[in-house]
Amino acid sequence: MKILLFMVAAFAVVSGQEPKPCIAPKIWEARMARIDPSKRFFERARISYDAIDRRVRIVEEVEIKGTRDFYDVLYLHNVGKEYSLNMKTKKCTVRDLTKTFRPFEVPKNATFYGESYIGTGAAALEGVLISLWGGETPEGGRYMGSFTTNGCVPVQDGFYTERTGFVHTSFYDVVAGISDPNVFVPPKECP
């Protein structure tokens, strides 16, 4: 009987230690870098992100196979439109959004992969503790993300699908909120 009680207590302690998915900020801005080595694609950008209204604005420098371009892209998933302004030519393309909004968050069904430090945990204020999560996308792909353990701020996002291949995104200088309320208004060059 004592062994059974010990096993029940041990199970309760161990299962209670399993981390639960954290809640990521819903509205933020950051710098980001995205890479897809198989397509020789690299992007440096400034992102404004609103998960509540499903809106994303990315002002980006894109390099694909050695060719560099600059774009201002606004994804308005809430109305199903994408506005893409080539900042060199000032040509704007407006199209219907076909891809679904993919939030930068830990899905409720995510698998916890562990914790790790960016920098070091050996000295105070010399590192950031992150949690690693992953799983399958609704489309049948795979994803992995890392988030700060304090605040659930996105640090890295990676996903793979047959259509896209592997795409890796890193976030820097994340700040809560949106500094310019007009950031989700389409560029004036767009009809």
Side-chain angles (χ1 to χ4, degrees):
M1 182 66 165
K2 288 182 182 180
I3 293 175
L4 179 61
L5 285 174
F6 174 76
M7 288 176 60
V8 168
F11 176 77
V13 168
V14 169
S15 64
Q17 293 175 349
E18 182 68 25
K20 305 282 186 262
C22 59
I23 306 297
K26 299 292 185 195
I27 299 174
W28 48 267
E29 293 180 317
R31 292 185 309 130
M32 65 182 243
R34 183 176 288 164
I35 188 168
D36 181 347
S38 68
K39 294 184 176 86
R40 293 179 43 204
F41 169 86
F42 178 74
E43 169 189 30
R44 261 189 305 262
R46 179 92 183 129
I47 181 173
S48 300
Y49 173 82
D50 175 3
I52 296 168
D53 289 322
R54 300 178 313 144
R55 307 178 295 180
V56 179
R57 180 114 189 214
I58 300 176
V59 179
E60 60 191 2
E61 173 187 346
V62 178
E63 188 171 315
I64 302 174
K65 297 180 182 173
T67 301
R68 185 175 295 170
D69 258 315
F70 301 87
Y71 293 94
D72 181 350
V73 184
L74 176 60
Y75 301 97
L76 296 177
H77 292 270
N78 56 347
V79 295
K81 291 288 183 194
E82 174 187 332
Y83 300 85
S84 180
L85 174 65
N86 183 312
M87 295 170 67
K88 283 184 184 176
T89 66
K90 299 297 182 195
K91 181 181 179 217
C92 182
T93 305
V94 181
R95 57 184 151 248
D96 291 333
L97 272 171
T98 56
K99 59 183 179 180
T100 59
F101 179 74
R102 190 173 164 276
F104 295 114
E105 65 184 16
V106 182
K108 293 192 183 334
N109 66 345
T111 300
F112 178 68
Y113 292 149
E115 292 181 338
S116 183
Y117 276 96
I118 296 176
T120 180
L125 304 174
E126 295 295 322
V128 175
L129 183 61
I130 60 170
S131 59
L132 307 167
W133 299 86
E136 284 193 30
T137 67
E139 299 83 24
R142 302 283 304 160
Y143 72 89
M144 200 243 2
S146 60
F147 299 80
T148 61
T149 56
N150 184 12
C152 199
V153 175
V155 176
Q156 294 181 342
D157 178 77
F159 67 93
Y160 174 85
T161 66
E162 290 291 329
R163 185 179 63 80
T164 62
F166 180 73
V167 179
H168 175 86
T169 306
S170 296
F171 300 102
Y172 309 92
D173 302 329
V174 179
V175 176
I178 300 295
S179 60
D180 177 4
N182 294 317
V183 74
F184 297 116
V185 174
K188 65 180 183 294
E189 294 87 350
C190 296

